Amino acid sequence: MLTTFLRRLFREVTSRLPWRSLVEQPAAIGAPSITVSAEVTSLTPTAGPRTIVELAELSLTYAPNDAWAERLAAAYELQSTHATESTSPDAIALLQPLAEGPDAVIRQMPAAAREALAICDDTTLSRRELSRRLERDPALMQGLLRTANSVAIGGGRAAVVGQDAVLDRIGVAGARGVVLANCVDGLLSHPGGEFTRLANETWAHMIRSAPIARAAAPAFAADADEAFTVALLHDVGKLVVFDRLSVLRAKRRRAVTLTPDFVHQLLQVLHEPLGSLGALQWGMGDRAATAIGTHHRVAASRGRHPLAEAIFFAERADHAARRHEPFDVDLAWSEGKLTGTVNRASSALQSLPTAA
């Protein structure tokens, strides 16, 4: 059953635009143009080093269910006051299942997917045995090779051709992150039309952010492999909304009629708590859920959280590169109230491999 599931899942997922574009995309993140003040070396651009006690006082606390209730109320306010969607049947129908609670809209991970992830979580397996297990399924091997050799992760380096080389490049935890991301992608339906393009762009952004987050993680005292995995799914809440659009489209038996402006605003309002609750449901743990739920570092979620800060930094870097703009590290540091080592994060960006 596991082999059949993985074969089907990776055949479907690796053929989709986000994963295929990793190889074909010419403008992926490498070593972006950055601006940073050379003299900045402390935990923040404007403050000296803080003590352990002070950092503990700044530690971030996050309650995803409370955040969800707050953001859902904001979503209804957005819909009711929107110029074109205040009376839209599709907008009302989209929000209705969300009001039933996150469990009503976040899909459960199938047993076979959980079994696939358990292979990577089995600490009794040696690296060699893990490689052999992964190599038993050609489709799984193909998916991992595609990711390891992608522009975003391979960055123009020589192609890897075996599972041992894949693990050398992306690590055991990185391999688990790729399997997890593929499992989540297999769960969620694409909404069709213009919304599918937006969903693909969301996947592409998360995939590009992952190697940046891993490289920058030590600057925030975050675990590099965990940062890689969480960055791969940090905007997954948007995909949950797209999934609900696909369900609505199937029920209506027609395209969903919503303005791009409204959908964009709705995604911004809902995706952090939805992604956080999804992370908990899919077994990613509290730390990952908090990072996903607070990665935008808005005023209410700017306490110290190394993983969330690494994701914020990676996301800002990718957005700048996508727009072909210099990345102002100092500005990102200030706006995100980051508490790591700015020069170390900047050096990590510059060390990333570039596309050939």
Side-chain angles (χ1 to χ4, degrees), residues 38 50 65 94 102 113 131 176 185 194 217 229 233 242 246 251 278 298 303 334:
R50 290 172 172 154
N65 284 306
L94 176 62
S131 291
R176 185 194 189 281
D185 191 28
E194 177 68 8
T229 297
L233 290 168
F242 288 130
S246 73
K251 287 182 177 179
V298 297
S334 175

Side-chain angles (χ1 to χ4, degrees), residues 23-340:
V23 180
E24 300 170 353
Q25 220 171 34
I29 274 280
S33 172
I34 60 176
T35 62
V36 59
S37 301
E39 70 274 10
V40 178
T41 57
S42 62
L43 288 168
T44 69
T46 58
R50 290 172 172 154
T51 67
I52 293 176
V53 172
E54 288 173 323
L55 289 175
E57 290 174 349
L58 289 171
S59 293
L60 173 63
T61 59
Y62 180 70
N65 284 306
D66 292 345
W68 168 248
E70 179 184 329
R71 295 295 186 91
L72 184 60
Y76 269 102
E77 176 69 16
L78 170 66
Q79 184 268 327
S80 66
T81 59
H82 196 275
T84 59
E85 307 300 351
S86 58
T87 58
S88 164
D90 284 351
I92 294 170
L94 176 62
L95 288 175
Q96 195 168 32
L98 296 175
E100 298 174 13
D103 290 343
V105 295
I106 299 173
R107 297 181 188 265
Q108 295 281 348
M109 189 77 74
R114 294 195 298 269
E115 187 178 349
L117 294 171
I119 293 176
C120 296
D121 289 338
D122 190 347
T123 57
T124 67
L125 295 179
S126 66
R127 189 183 180 95
R128 181 180 295 274
E129 178 60 23
L130 175 61
S131 291
R132 283 200 293 265
R133 292 278 189 95
L134 295 174
E135 285 175 339
R136 288 175 185 173
D137 191 292
L140 174 59
M141 181 69 178
Q142 182 183 20
L144 290 167
L145 282 169
R146 185 187 299 274
T147 303
N149 290 322
S150 67
V151 171
I153 295 173
R157 290 176 289 178
V160 296
V161 294
Q163 190 59 54
D164 287 338
V166 167
L167 294 179
D168 286 340
R169 176 163 292 182
I170 67 177
V172 173
R176 185 194 189 281
V178 171
V179 172
L180 176 60
N182 277 274
C183 288
V184 169
D185 191 28
L187 281 180
L188 305 177
S189 302
H190 281 197
E194 177 68 8
F195 297 130
T196 290
R197 181 186 66 81
L198 296 176
N200 287 339
E201 289 178 357
T202 299
W203 268 119
H205 162 63
M206 292 191 295
I207 293 165
R208 292 193 306 266
S209 297
I212 307 173
R214 178 162 60 183
F220 302 95
D223 180 81
D225 288 334
E226 186 177 26
F228 178 89
T229 297
V230 175
L232 273 176
L233 290 168
H234 72 273
D235 276 344
V236 72
K238 293 182 179 181
L239 301 181
V240 174
V241 175
F242 288 130
D243 182 57
R244 301 321 298 174
L245 284 170
S246 73
V247 171
L248 181 59
R249 180 172 180 259
K251 287 182 177 179
R252 294 281 204 256
R253 297 185 178 182
R254 60 166 174 78
V256 176
T257 305
L258 294 171
T259 62
D261 173 66
F262 173 73
V263 172
H264 174 74
Q265 292 181 60
L266 188 67
L267 292 173
Q268 292 304 107
V269 168
L270 292 178
H271 81 280
E272 284 184 298
L274 259 184
S276 177
L277 291 163
L280 290 173
Q281 187 160 295
W282 299 324
M284 294 178 66
D286 291 342
R287 187 165 54 244
T290 297
I292 289 173
T294 63
H295 70 270
H296 279 198
R297 306 283 294 166
V298 297
S301 59
R302 284 179 175 169
R304 176 170 168 75
H305 194 283
L307 192 55
E309 294 177 49
I311 304 305
F312 174 89
F313 182 83
E315 181 165 74
R316 284 297 188 90
D318 177 62
H319 286 327
R322 180 176 55 83
R323 296 166 183 152
H324 304 288
E325 298 172 353
F327 177 39
D328 189 333
V329 176
D330 285 332
L331 179 61
W333 221 262
S334 175
E335 291 182 346
K337 303 298 181 187
L338 304 184
T339 63

